[in-house]
Each structure stands twice: as C-alpha cells, then as structure tokens.
Amino acid sequence: MKPTLQDLIKLYNNTESRIERANLWLHIEEWAEIFAENKYPNEYETSLYYDEDYKDLLNIQREAFKKGYLSAIEDLILK
C-alpha cells in the first residue's frame, strides 16, 4: 500500500536523518507530479487542434502547479 501524502509529511517531520528526509522529499515530489498531471490532463492529444504550442503550454502549467504545490508543502513543514 502506497503511503498518503500526509503520512509522508509526518514521517518527514519526525525524522532527523538527512538521507531519510531526502528520500521522503523525492516521494513528496512524486505526489506533486501526480497531482499536476491530474489537474492538467493531456486529454486533447488526439485532437486535430492539438499542436506543440498547446503541449508546451500544458507542460508550463503543470510545472507551475507543481512548484506552487511543493512550495506550500515546504511552508507547512517549516512551520
């Protein structure tokens, strides 16, 4: 069973090991990537109107969402 994001944050806050924290942060980033893909799905890939510009815009939106999400998590962790 995959741990929830809340479980990962609790583990991150309760560990002192830098290696464990780095590993947990990678898992948190993975969650953010999944959330970004779900928030901005690539549902128009087979459309006649789909082009490289749309693909670039979608990637920018996903990356911005992911960075904002991770920044919010960092703010919560550092409180």
Side-chain angles (χ1 to χ4, degrees):
M1 184 171 140
K2 190 171 183 174
T4 65
L5 182 59
Q6 292 150 337
D7 293 338
L8 292 172
I9 291 172
K10 284 179 189 176
L11 288 170
Y12 185 92
N13 284 334
N14 293 329
T15 188
E16 296 295 324
S17 170
R18 292 177 67 181
I19 294 173
E20 284 182 43
R21 281 184 171 226
N23 186 31
L24 288 167
W25 188 254
L26 289 175
H27 288 289
I28 290 171
E29 285 180 338
E30 182 182 318
W31 270 100
E33 184 71 35
I34 291 168
F35 289 152
E37 287 176 8
N38 289 336
K39 177 84 172 161
Y40 298 101
N42 196 2
E43 58 196 31
Y44 300 109
E45 190 171 315
T46 58
S47 171
L48 293 174
Y49 302 106
Y50 183 81
D51 61 2
E52 289 299 317
D53 292 336
Y54 180 78
K55 183 178 178 181
D56 292 340
L57 177 62
L58 188 63
N59 288 334
I60 290 169
Q61 288 174 329
R62 284 181 180 162
E63 194 61 33
F65 179 83
K66 188 172 112 177
K67 285 181 180 181
Y69 197 83
L70 289 173
S71 177
I73 291 173
E74 284 178 355
D75 290 346
L76 287 173
I77 289 173
L78 296 177
K79 274 191 173 182

